[in-house]
Amino acid sequence: MNDASLLPVVIVGGGFSGAMLAARLAERGQASILIERGDAFGPGVAYSTTNDAHRLNVRAGRMGAVADRPDDFIDWLAAHHPDQADPDGFAPRRLYGLYVRDRLTTTETAHPGLIRRLSGAVIAVEGRSAILSTGERVEGRAVVLATGNPAPRTTPTGEDGRIIATPWTPDALTPVRPGDDILILGAGLTMVDVLLTLSSQGWRGRATAVSRRGLLPRAHGQHHDAPIDLPPEALSGPLSIRLATARRLAEAHGWRRVMEGYRPITLKLWRAASEAERSRFLRHLRPWWDVHRHRIAPEIAAELDRLIAERRLTVRTGRIRNVEASTKFAVLHLSTRDGPQTLSAPWLIDCTGPGHDATTAPLTAGLIAECRARLAATRLGLDLDDAGRVLHADGKPDPVLYVLGPPARAAFWETIAVPDIRQRIEALTTHLTA
């Protein structure tokens, strides 16, 4: 083909972001090639779980994959799993994975020839082409990097297996025996999933979770909280004034309503913030934002409370100094307010969250080395423009290279939850089909 406009869009990553972009492009008449390292197209890591204890962190009624059809998931549940079709409920993530697969397949059937699936590992991007590890070159009119969340990078993998560095790997937690105590790095959503998995396996040991702030994810209310109208002093001016205003509003109206008020305008506020303001937010406020913004279902919060009450879950505050592993134990050296401390247990599990590092991931590191991309000042990922295009070292947007989903967080911040990603999908679809 000589006319680039007739080429498909190449999407690197076949998880939720990539698969749902391919579906929306097909619905607009634009062909795409969806490249996934394995053969599981659609659900990605988060929605590939088979454990029904793993629940959505957003109410089912807000989880439709299409921006203008928020009830799409509820309609699907009503047709296929009516017992779970509660808009206010938190359905198993397994079912959401099935929904995403079904939407991709249904769209392929309705728009034959517009979505091509390709299994392979992309190792480089050259011009408008993705280069696979086999040497195959896949050319498109544009390339979208939708590579999802990488594994944690805090710990090395112990040769004896006492350090579980990638807890989402299938059967990674199987070696943990029912009576084993465990150390967990991180106290966020990944920790919650690990504890739920272990409990479903009959585990009855004790867990010590270590994080720098010792904060646990907050729970959703029993029903959706209506957002409040935020006053001007909560939206502009010094961060200290905004924070003080948000705290006063939370005391008066409840923190959930305040967070709901911020939710639809977070992207606008992030894009308008200076690099200094973003850096201050990340240094000082991010841990509190995360635990209030990315909440867990009430029934999951009740399970955590039970483990704490039974003294089977203890949360410690500290900074990691070093991690070691012997043939029988993992050892964690911490710096705490009370001085150095050492903890040990048969297992140490890394739940520190996705290890986004554009400077070491081969695909993005190569782009940076070629000056085709640059790292954002916050170092959260690649620098992008408002359309999601990668910015070159000189600040000029690349005409054909885009980033979507969690790897775009440096530019758009909230690109993890489905309601946020689907808005980016819609904007990118409109941009690519204009």
Side-chain angles (χ1 to χ4, degrees):
M1 286 184 189
N2 295 321
D3 187 352
S5 66
L6 299 179
L7 292 170
V9 173
V10 175
I11 304 172
V12 181
F16 174 83
S17 298
M20 295 300 92
L21 174 62
R24 284 303 285 150
L25 288 172
E27 289 170 340
R28 298 279 188 91
Q30 170 62 54
S32 66
I33 300 175
L34 187 60
I35 307 175
E36 169 62 19
R37 183 179 294 270
D39 56 4
F41 290 81
V45 174
Y47 307 120
S48 293
T49 177
T50 59
N51 190 332
D52 280 357
H54 295 154
R55 297 272 166 167
L56 294 173
N57 295 320
V58 177
R59 298 181 194 278
R62 308 180 73 180
M63 285 292 286
V66 187
D68 60 356
R69 301 203 301 270
D71 292 334
D72 194 53
F73 178 49
I74 282 293
D75 293 340
W76 183 88
L77 284 174
H80 298 87
H81 301 274
D83 59 316
Q84 296 288 343
D86 176 9
D88 263 350
F90 300 86
R93 293 210 301 268
R94 175 184 65 85
L95 295 185
Y96 196 77
L98 294 177
Y99 159 70
V100 173
R101 283 195 181 99
D102 188 60
R103 168 161 165 71
L104 180 62
T105 302
T106 301
T107 306
E108 287 174 315
T109 301
H111 303 276
L114 290 186
I115 301 176
R116 174 191 168 197
R117 302 190 191 196
L118 179 61
S119 295
V122 175
I123 60 172
V125 176
E126 296 179 0
R128 298 194 308 266
S129 299
I131 312 302
L132 275 61
S133 58
T134 58
E136 181 180 356
R137 177 183 294 267
V138 183
E139 186 181 8
R141 57 176 296 217
V143 178
V144 180
L145 304 182
T147 49
N149 282 315
R153 298 174 185 265
T154 304
T155 59
T157 302
E159 293 181 359
D160 55 12
R162 290 296 167 180
I163 298 175
I164 301 176
T166 53
W168 278 109
T169 302
D171 300 323
L173 301 176
T174 302
V176 180
R177 295 173 298 182
D180 285 346
D181 291 344
I182 57 175
L183 299 174
I184 300 178
L185 299 185
L189 298 178
T190 305
M191 179 212 71
V192 174
D193 282 342
V194 163
L195 290 177
L196 293 173
T197 299
L198 290 173
S199 294
S200 67
Q201 295 175 183
W203 172 76
R204 53 184 183 275
R206 293 173 298 176
T208 301
V210 178
S211 74
R212 291 181 62 181
R213 299 294 195 286
L215 300 172
L216 289 173
R218 292 341 190 223
H220 283 278
Q222 291 300 320
H223 301 283
H224 175 63
D225 294 275
I228 65 169
D229 293 327
L230 299 172
E233 58 269 27
L235 304 175
S236 61
L239 285 179
S240 58
I241 300 298
R242 296 194 217 181
L243 178 59
T245 302
R247 284 174 171 167
R248 287 196 299 270
L249 292 170
E251 290 176 359
H253 304 283
W255 63 264
R256 294 186 183 90
R257 293 194 63 193
V258 174
M259 294 304 293
E260 290 302 319
Y262 275 109
R263 182 166 189 161
I265 59 173
T266 300
L267 171 60
K268 180 181 178 181
L269 294 176
W270 182 260
R271 294 298 289 172
S274 66
E275 295 296 350
E277 288 173 327
R278 293 181 185 182
S279 295
R280 286 188 63 204
F281 173 86
L282 294 172
R283 283 198 310 271
H284 302 297
L285 298 180
R286 178 182 178 180
W288 283 269
W289 174 271
D290 284 348
V291 298
H292 289 87
R293 171 66 175 81
H294 302 290
R295 291 165 248 167
I296 55 178
E299 56 266 37
I300 302 303
E303 176 65 11
L304 287 186
D305 290 341
R306 182 184 69 81
L307 291 174
I308 292 171
E310 294 176 357
R311 297 185 179 181
R312 293 183 54 210
L313 171 61
T314 302
V315 181
R316 301 280 295 271
T317 302
R319 188 189 299 267
I320 301 167
R321 293 170 53 210
N322 190 29
V323 175
E324 301 173 342
S326 66
T327 56
K328 294 184 179 181
F329 287 92
V331 181
L332 176 61
H333 300 281
L334 297 174
S335 293
T336 72
R337 291 181 178 179
D338 299 323
Q341 293 187 13
T342 299
L343 305 175
S344 64
W347 302 98
L348 185 145
I349 305 172
D350 189 346
C351 296
T352 52
H356 291 284
D357 187 349
T359 62
T360 59
L363 189 57
T364 50
L367 294 169
I368 294 173
E370 297 165 5
C371 295
R372 191 176 178 183
R374 69 183 186 185
L375 198 62
T378 58
R379 302 189 68 82
L380 288 175
L382 297 183
D383 209 2
L384 313 175
D385 72 358
D386 289 345
R389 293 182 296 186
V390 172
L391 295 180
H392 294 177
D394 61 4
K396 294 180 180 179
D398 193 288
V400 297
L401 183 59
Y402 300 78
V403 178
L404 174 68
R409 62 181 187 160
F412 304 113
W413 182 234
E414 291 293 350
T415 56
I416 299 174
V418 165
D420 304 302
I421 296 175
R422 73 186 179 208
Q423 295 296 336
R424 291 303 313 151
I425 289 174
E426 197 66 22
L428 185 53
T429 298
T430 299
H431 180 83
L432 291 172
T433 58

